[in-house]
Amino acid sequence: MTRRVSLAGRLSRALTACVALALAVMALSSTLVMRSWMLADVDSELHRLSQRADEHLDIDDADSEDDDGEASEAQSGEHGGADGAILPAGPGRRGPGNPGGPGFGGSGVADGTLQYVSEDGEAAGAIVTNFALRYLDDEALEVLESVPADALPHTVHLPGWGTFRVVSQVFDTRTILVGRQTDSVDNVVWMLVAVELVLSLCVALGAGLIGRAWVRRELRPLSVVREAAADIARRDLADDAQALTRVGDAAVSGPVEVAEVAGAFNAMIDAVEDGMERRARSETKLRQFVADASHELRTPLASVQGYAQLARRDIDEASRSQALERISSEGARMATLVEELLTLARLDDDRSLARDRVEVIPLVLDALSDAHVLCPDHTWELGSAAQEPVLGDEAAVRQILTNLLTNARVHTPAGTRVVVSVLGEDSPRLRSSPGVDETSGAAGARAPASSTITIRVADDGPGIPEAIRERVFDRFVRGDSSRTRDGHGSSGLGMSIVDSLARAMGGRVCLVDSESGTVIDVTLPSA
């Protein structure tokens, strides 16, 4: 399997490539600038030489130094002077003879300077080499003859002689071309390229090595994240989800990108621990719920079985009727418990309730009337009655009122006064009881609407015991916590249903402080 390249290696290679590219661009630019500058200097010199050649050009025989004065005079007389002397063409010459004298071969002409003269179809040229003239051959003269006489610099290559930068101009009837050898310029350029190439290579390699070390140093905190993740992966989170490894300050305070990864990792660990903790609490509550529900159902089932066995015996009619009545009452008790459990299951499944305009006062009056019929030994009253509707489900509001009044009826003695009030936003409120979240009777409640109506149920009974005030809206929590009851007590689900219904309609329920008795507020959004 191909080995994958590390991030540090990829970054260092990318850094090396970028540095090398930047150096190559700089080297190319500097080389081009240097060559252009050197050629511009040569071109400037060529224009100066072109003007000087026109002013001081002497056409003379190179061998005149060895002849006597008479030969020179004879030649001059024949051709009308030095400027017009034309010698018989010899090797390397096609006409006007040999450039010389102060105009070309004299002082002030640098080594490597070329001069070419063409007049009346005859041409001659020479190059200063080692401070001596070397005449051009016919092939070189043909190349120079093809150079345009436009007074512009041109680059030509003369076979066997090298590369020259030349300028050709026409003065009267004479074409004069001067040039400078550019081999030295090319040599300097190539030397500069070689030096820059070597330096660029060294700098790029150095940048790659230093960059790799720097990148590894900067990415070192990622190894801490990796080790922490590996430690979590080795664990069995089903059994060990406590004290998960987190990334320390060294990674969190590192580079921004690494710090963000480390912070996200720590946030993920927090979320995992919180989720595992909530899952554990949920499983605990579920086990407790199943145990309580099983117990609640076991008691009436045992009664039904016992009375059914009694009814099969040979007993008198009165005893049989009593057994059948008990079977019926225990069956109704189980049906109520099952219905309450189904209600909670539907609410836990986040099933939405209707959002209708509901008039509260008629529902309160119906609930008070039903409570008076069921328990005439209590005093049932309507308190403040704000004529404002709520936004919710009518059946749910009716069940909330029924459960609250049933709770007051079951857990208070005879003669207790129970007052139901409907309060608007401007009505006076009581302070919430410590330990009970004012926004909800249970965790996870939604915030109330901006405009709300509160249904308050207050009684002057003995109140809720302090030990269960914080858990009053949990399931299977009741004032009488004993497992054996006479069958007429509550199941411990009524207040939990009230809380779930209120939250499902976007409201809340809370237990508020009072000097005596129990006061419960159910706040719902107004229509």
Side-chain angles (χ1 to χ4, degrees), residues 421-424 429 452-456 508 521-524:
S421 304
V422 180
L423 309 175
R429 308 296 175 90
T452 57
I453 301 297
T454 298
I455 302 173
R456 173 173 294 169
R508 67 175 185 266
D521 280 356
V522 179
T523 303
L524 299 175

Side-chain angles (χ1 to χ4, degrees), residues 494-514:
M495 299 302 289
S496 180
I497 292 175
V498 169
D499 174 66
S500 298
L501 288 173
R503 288 189 290 114
M505 290 186 290
R508 67 175 185 266
V509 59
C510 62
L511 178 66
V512 297
D513 287 339
S514 63

